[in-house]
Amino acid sequence: MKCTYLNWDAARGWSSPPNLTADARPPMSQLVLYFAARETLAANPVHADLVARFPGARIVGCSTDGQIGRDDVTDAGVQAVAMSFASTRIKVASGNVIACSDSFVCGAKLGLELASPDLAGVFVLSDGLMVNGSRLATGLSSAVGRSVAVSGGLAGDGDRFGETWVAADAIPAKGVIVAVGFYGEDIRFGHGSAGGWNVFGPRRTITRAIDNVLFELDGQPALDLYERYLGSEEAALLPGSALLFPLSIRDPDAPDRDVVRTVLAVDRQARTMTFAGDVPQGWSAQLMRGQFDQLSEASMQAARQASATHTDAANGDCLAILVSCIGRRLLLGQRVADEVDAAVQGLASGTGLLGFYSYGEIAPHAVSGVPQLHNQTMTVTTIRERAA
Amino acid sequence: MHRLIAKQIERARRDDGRIDIDQLIDLVSAAYAEVDRDQARSNRSILLMAEELEDLNASLEQ
């Protein structure tokens, strides 16, 4: 596998690595991934530029809450990687949530398109606001089989929560889900996901909820609790500011398997909060808070986990795709680069990287291996081909 | 040097290598504000949590 990293900004246009001259191009790229803010995608022909630059490649990407590069996190510009494989084959499946209201069914449809005995892994990018990420992950996984690792993330829209866009070999648009299947014996994936947040305060019970809409905790409107903890200044910045207090939820029948949920929307009239995944009634819930150094430490752990699975020698480059959560960026503020630095330290040396801040991360559960939606985590997917 | 100020200097560096002082001041000022907000939020959480635990205690004693 050979990776060519590119970035674009309004002042300088597309960067090219020094070796990318017309007569010394790397082998034909089969897959291009790119990440950019929605306004960048709206105002510039990013997708068309990449199509012209990488003829024949499948080109997928999404809108973000910031792009992750090796050195820093930026809002402006585009981060992209073009991948050419020695032996791995690629297939792209896409769907539209508007035509398919159930996220599980949508995921299963894409999974069925990709399913094959030699399917080794799937990377998925999804609309971040119109999709129930936990159901999407379950649907995909049910169709491709438990042995196929599924990872990826939900597109972002900064702290506006307006529209999220995904490009599935076409101009980016809302309501789109794209899944890339990687086929063959030589492709290898590694995954790591970690949060670093701590629970605090009393454990509450989810007394009223429907799917991913939370109405009440301990009989009180959930939004009241958040507004009280945020204070009036930060409560005015809802739903974004609710990300500063993620919710840890757990099934009373499986108390050791807690899940973290991120808020996507609030309804101030109805006093409800909509989360990126299900918040089942009857489960317990506890607020969480984060500290800078613990989030960075978790980021390093995630990168280590994702690198640790690679034991055989690589054929060419190793790529790490970092999908981190908007909630972490909100808390870390200008220190957001710390968690990227920490991830770089956790990766095997020589690993290239790019990534984005998202509305939800998808990766296999560390113990069960079942793909699921994670929130408020740094989630790392490493990809490489094994030496023949 | 603290890693944040090192990063801020890099972020304020222009293409010609010079540092944009106005941009650097904006970054430093915004970082102070971030720390203030973080501290206020932590204090608020601790107070509210203590209140909630007291209420819980009172209801258990009844």
Side-chain angles (χ1 to χ4, degrees):
Chain A
M1 183 174 94
K2 190 97 197 96
C3 291
T4 306
Y5 296 88
L6 302 111
N7 52 67
W8 178 94
D9 70 46
R12 300 181 198 84
W14 286 100
S15 73
S16 294
N19 62 351
L20 196 73
T21 56
D23 50 17
R25 277 178 195 277
M28 182 92 122
S29 296
Q30 286 111 318
L31 177 66
V32 178
L33 288 178
Y34 69 94
F35 306 116
R38 176 161 63 90
E39 52 269 50
T40 305
L41 296 173
N44 302 282
V46 173
H47 192 88
D49 282 358
L50 289 169
V51 170
R53 202 174 182 106
F54 297 99
R58 311 307 305 266
I59 301 177
V60 304
C62 70
S63 64
T64 72
D65 176 45
Q67 290 73 248
I68 300 176
R70 178 164 277 279
D71 300 321
D72 208 349
V73 174
T74 52
D75 291 304
V78 181
Q79 290 281 351
V81 63
M83 304 154 78
S84 59
F85 299 95
S87 62
T88 305
R89 288 174 301 104
I90 294 295
K91 186 172 174 184
V92 172
S94 64
N96 196 308
V97 256
I98 297 154
C100 173
S101 61
D102 189 299
S103 300
F104 178 93
V105 176
C106 223
K109 270 187 185 164
L110 298 188
L112 283 176
E113 254 184 79
L114 296 179
S116 160
D118 65 341
L119 177 62
V122 174
F123 186 77
V124 60
L125 295 172
S126 166
D127 184 293
L129 291 167
M130 301 166 77
V131 169
N132 180 330
S134 25
R135 292 184 62 79
L136 170 69
T138 316
L140 252 172
S141 177
S142 71
V144 296
R146 295 272 296 253
S147 61
V148 177
V150 176
S151 67
L154 307 185
D157 183 29
D159 56 5
R160 291 176 302 274
F161 297 86
E163 277 183 21
T164 58
W165 291 1
V166 170
D169 247 345
I171 301 292
K174 70 171 174 175
V176 175
I177 305 173
V178 64
V180 182
F182 298 79
Y183 299 83
E185 287 184 351
D186 298 327
I187 189 84
R188 292 286 181 276
F189 291 86
H191 300 95
S193 186
W197 301 74
N198 296 312
V199 291
F200 78 97
R203 187 170 296 169
R204 304 157 206 279
T205 303
I206 300 173
T207 44
R208 201 169 149 229
I210 300 172
D211 296 333
N212 59 342
V213 181
L214 175 63
F215 292 76
E216 288 175 4
L217 292 168
D218 288 340
Q220 302 293 322
L223 191 53
D224 288 6
L225 179 77
Y226 269 88
E227 285 181 344
R228 209 162 66 237
Y229 269 86
L230 286 166
S232 55
E233 205 176 306
E234 287 191 323
L237 303 174
L238 281 165
S241 55
L243 296 164
L244 296 164
F245 294 117
L247 202 60
S248 168
I249 59 172
R250 64 183 72 194
D251 183 347
D253 297 329
D256 53 333
R257 293 228 344 230
D258 53 323
V259 182
V260 181
R261 287 282 174 256
T262 289
V263 179
L264 289 184
V266 298
D267 183 332
R268 288 191 169 85
Q269 262 71 51
R271 311 302 295 162
T272 62
M273 310 179 74
T274 303
F275 287 81
D278 289 339
V279 278
Q281 197 165 301
W283 285 30
S284 73
Q286 212 170 358
L287 292 177
M288 304 183 92
R289 58 192 296 267
Q291 285 169 284
F292 298 156
D293 49 347
Q294 289 180 4
L295 295 197
S296 291
E297 179 61 34
S299 174
M300 191 187 296
Q301 267 175 34
R304 279 212 186 106
Q305 277 171 32
S307 280
T309 39
H310 299 291
T311 47
D312 40 12
N315 176 11
D317 297 335
C318 181
L319 168 68
I321 305 170
L322 275 54
V323 182
S324 186
C325 178
I326 174 182
R328 303 171 73 83
R329 189 168 183 206
L330 204 64
L331 183 84
L332 288 165
Q334 289 188 40
R335 299 196 187 203
V336 72
D338 286 2
E339 77 159 4
V340 178
D341 289 348
V344 170
Q345 283 174 43
L347 290 171
S349 67
T351 304
L353 70 88
L354 86 169
F356 69 102
Y357 279 83
S358 78
Y359 285 178
E361 311 81 62
I362 293 170
H365 185 270
V367 179
S368 68
V370 178
Q372 59 180 213
L373 178 78
H374 302 264
N375 283 132
Q376 303 278 9
T377 64
M378 168 64 87
T379 291
V380 181
T381 302
T382 53
I383 306 178
R384 61 194 258 182
E385 280 182 304
R386 143 189 101 151
Chain B
M1 197 189 292
H2 191 282
R3 49 196 293 148
L4 180 55
I5 187 72
K7 191 56 92 178
Q8 288 170 326
I9 291 169
E10 276 321 297
R11 285 173 182 159
R13 201 180 288 283
R14 299 187 307 212
D15 281 351
D16 63 6
R18 294 184 182 204
I19 291 162
D20 183 331
I21 292 295
D22 288 339
Q23 197 190 341
L24 183 61
I25 290 171
D26 285 349
L27 285 170
V28 171
S29 174
Y32 285 159
E34 279 176 10
V35 173
D36 288 349
R37 276 200 301 275
D38 195 65
Q39 181 133 31
R41 197 185 312 121
S42 291
N43 289 344
R44 195 180 172 81
S45 303
I46 292 166
L47 285 174
L48 284 168
M49 196 165 65
E51 266 175 37
E52 285 201 67
L53 290 175
E54 250 167 57
D55 289 351
L56 208 66
N57 235 352
S59 69
L60 285 174
E61 278 170 11
Q62 275 173 15

